[in-house]
């Protein structure tokens, strides 16, 4: 078992035990109680002294609360004498805003780096990177975990053949092409223009033949579903056999899962638990727990 301990935080109750088992580490829950005024009271239930601590957290739903929980847990582990304090962030927040668009705006990705930089390492499953391409340039102690192999294995296991992979925008090329390459299939991306947080337009920038293909659209995040719904519209014009939508982080806000399921088969990884989070990434994550 070595000297590593995997601590399950509130956003990882669906996966922390699996990660601990796969990495042959000791496992424990983080106790989280509330005072009457809703302040948090957290407690480690096992000894962490001189151990390598890995907090496992996923920042979805009540994100800001989870940030406070994770920071308190990290600082407490240090205070209790842990040898190293690492964070496994299955879905990491506040990375999308990497530029000041209007005077006075907060560049959240820059500020989130400051508050998480006391961790020895922050392992992040497919962080959202846009204008800045390397996670280390945003989160100084950050290290990326890729879900590409887990997605390719899932497609193989489901025996989905005659496939063509699509990324809705330039950034998604790494996943669409990444999975396509592993499976020896073709891929293409669209060009995306975002008009607001809910309104996007996408267009193919070259001719692609999708007729009678099983088209698999892959994106890192599905939030409002706007990007996927627009991509499905464009793909449908090319008469595919069936459409699949795969998200790494299935946030599915605003009833988007229901809307998407009317148009395609929808699956996500289990960085965020949901009815469709069927692609297990615990083995990929466990490889990083050394
Ligand atoms: C943005 O560039 C991301 O890669 C996703 O495409 C985006 O976050 C999806 O959001 P929505 O589902 O709201 O269109």
């Amino acid at each position: 078992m070595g000297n590593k301990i995997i601590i399950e935080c509130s956003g990882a109750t669906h996966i922390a035990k699996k990660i601990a088992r796969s990495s042959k580490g000791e496992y424990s829950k983080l106790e989280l109680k509330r005072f009457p005024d809703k302040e948090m009271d957290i407690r480690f239930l096992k000894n962490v002294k001189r151990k390598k601590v890995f907090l496992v957290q996923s920042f979805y739903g009540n994100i800001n609360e989870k940030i406070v929980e994770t920071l308190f847990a990290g600082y407490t582990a240090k205070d209790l004498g842990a040898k190293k304090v690492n964070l496994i962030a299955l879905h990491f927040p506040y990375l999308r805003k990497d530029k000041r668009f209007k005077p006075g705006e907060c560049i959240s990705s820059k500020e989130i780096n400051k508050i998480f930089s006391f961790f020895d390492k922050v392992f992040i499953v497919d962080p959202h990177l846009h204008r800045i391409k390397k996670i280390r340039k945003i989160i100084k102690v950050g290290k990326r975990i890729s879900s590409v192999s887990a997605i390719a294995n899932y497609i193989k296991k489901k025996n989905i053949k005659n496939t063509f992979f699509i990324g809705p925008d330039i950034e998604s090329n790494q996943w669409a092409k990444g999975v396509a390459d592993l499976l020896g299939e073709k891929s293409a991306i669209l060009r995306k223009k975002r008009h607001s947080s809910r309104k996007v337009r996408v267009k193919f920038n070259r001719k692609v033949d999708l007729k009678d293909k099983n088209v698999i659209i892959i994106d890192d995040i599905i939030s409002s579903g706007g990007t996927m719904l627009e991509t499905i519209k464009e793909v449908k014009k090319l008469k595919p056999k069936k459409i699949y939508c795969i998200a790494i982080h299935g946030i599915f806000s605003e009833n988007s899962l229901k809307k998407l399921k009317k148009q395609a088969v929808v699956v996500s990884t289990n960085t965020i638990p949901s009815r469709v989070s069927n692609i297990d990434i615990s083995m990929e994550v466990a490889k990083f727990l050394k």
Side-chain angles (χ1 to χ4, degrees):
M1 217 170 247
N3 69 341
K4 64 179 173 238
I5 182 161
I6 287 81
I7 305 290
E8 177 186 292
C9 297
S10 68
T13 54
H14 63 293
I15 192 172
K17 210 179 238 172
K18 264 195 214 166
I19 295 173
R21 221 180 291 129
S22 306
S23 67
K24 299 195 170 40
E26 190 185 353
Y27 158 88
S28 179
K29 276 181 191 290
L30 180 74
E31 186 180 83
L32 199 166
K33 288 186 186 161
R34 301 269 172 188
F35 291 106
D37 62 0
K38 302 270 189 296
E39 279 188 357
M40 273 178 210
D41 188 11
I42 64 151
R43 181 178 162 230
F44 283 85
L45 301 173
K46 285 192 184 163
N47 186 11
V48 296
K49 198 166 183 173
R50 285 191 284 277
K51 290 182 186 167
K52 266 192 189 174
V53 171
F54 290 88
L55 302 177
V56 188
Q57 181 66 289
S58 185
F59 297 89
Y60 65 91
N62 221 334
I63 298 165
N64 301 328
E65 288 264 302
K66 285 184 173 130
I67 291 176
V68 175
E69 173 198 347
T70 310
L71 294 177
F72 280 7
Y75 278 121
T76 306
K78 285 213 166 166
D79 194 36
L80 293 171
K83 189 170 150 200
K84 293 262 183 233
V85 184
N86 301 309
L87 171 63
I88 305 284
L90 303 165
H91 177 50
F92 193 74
Y94 289 112
L95 289 178
R96 276 183 279 188
K97 191 81 175 281
D98 60 0
K99 186 183 162 180
R100 183 167 289 127
F101 293 92
K102 291 184 201 146
E105 270 182 356
C106 165
I107 305 172
S108 61
S109 67
K110 193 169 151 189
E111 305 312 333
I112 205 80
N113 167 56
K114 290 179 195 155
I115 58 176
F116 280 93
S117 61
F118 77 94
F119 279 99
D120 289 293
K121 281 209 175 90
V122 176
F123 298 91
I124 307 175
V125 179
D126 286 314
H128 182 81
L129 302 172
H130 186 30
R131 280 158 282 260
I132 303 167
K133 305 290 178 210
K134 287 211 163 94
I135 189 60
R136 285 233 158 189
K137 295 218 161 136
I138 305 177
I139 307 297
K140 295 253 164 16
V141 292
K143 197 159 172 59
R144 173 188 194 149
I145 301 178
S146 168
S147 59
V148 162
S149 315
I151 297 173
N153 288 339
Y154 177 84
I155 293 165
K156 253 194 235 162
K157 213 170 72 197
K158 289 282 164 192
N159 208 16
I160 308 168
K161 297 267 166 62
N162 189 28
T163 51
F164 196 109
F165 291 82
I166 297 288
D169 53 24
I170 296 170
E171 289 81 34
S172 56
N173 189 44
Q174 55 188 298
W175 301 291
K177 188 173 181 317
V179 177
D181 285 353
L182 283 180
L183 297 172
E185 299 284 3
K186 287 189 180 151
S187 68
I189 52 166
L190 287 87
R191 200 157 279 172
K192 177 163 98 177
K193 204 163 180 187
R194 186 171 280 285
H195 299 281
S196 70
S197 59
R198 288 183 183 77
K199 213 168 158 201
V200 295
R201 286 279 171 271
V202 293
K203 277 253 161 305
F204 278 104
N205 54 6
R206 67 174 172 94
K207 251 188 149 184
V208 288
D209 182 11
L210 300 181
K211 193 158 181 337
D212 298 327
K213 293 268 180 202
N214 284 312
V215 172
I216 304 186
I217 310 169
I218 307 187
D219 204 358
D220 59 340
I221 297 173
I222 298 181
S223 178
S224 70
T227 303
M228 279 292 182
L229 287 166
E230 283 302 307
T231 308
I232 291 171
K233 249 194 233 167
E234 288 305 297
V235 166
K236 274 197 168 165
K237 290 179 191 165
L238 302 174
K239 311 256 183 298
K241 184 175 169 205
K242 199 166 178 177
I243 304 177
Y244 296 80
C245 292
I246 297 185
I248 293 154
H249 310 295
I251 297 172
F252 301 122
S253 54
E254 303 175 345
N255 227 4
S256 58
L257 180 54
K258 202 169 164 197
K259 284 186 226 160
L260 281 166
K261 280 180 94 175
K262 287 185 185 153
Q263 310 281 339
V265 177
V266 187
V267 197
S268 77
T269 78
N270 56 356
T271 60
I272 297 175
S274 77
R275 281 185 287 134
V276 296
S277 55
N278 298 327
I279 305 174
D280 182 24
I281 46 105
S282 56
M283 288 287 282
E284 299 309 314
V285 172
K287 288 178 197 160
F288 286 81
L289 274 66
K290 287 179 192 133

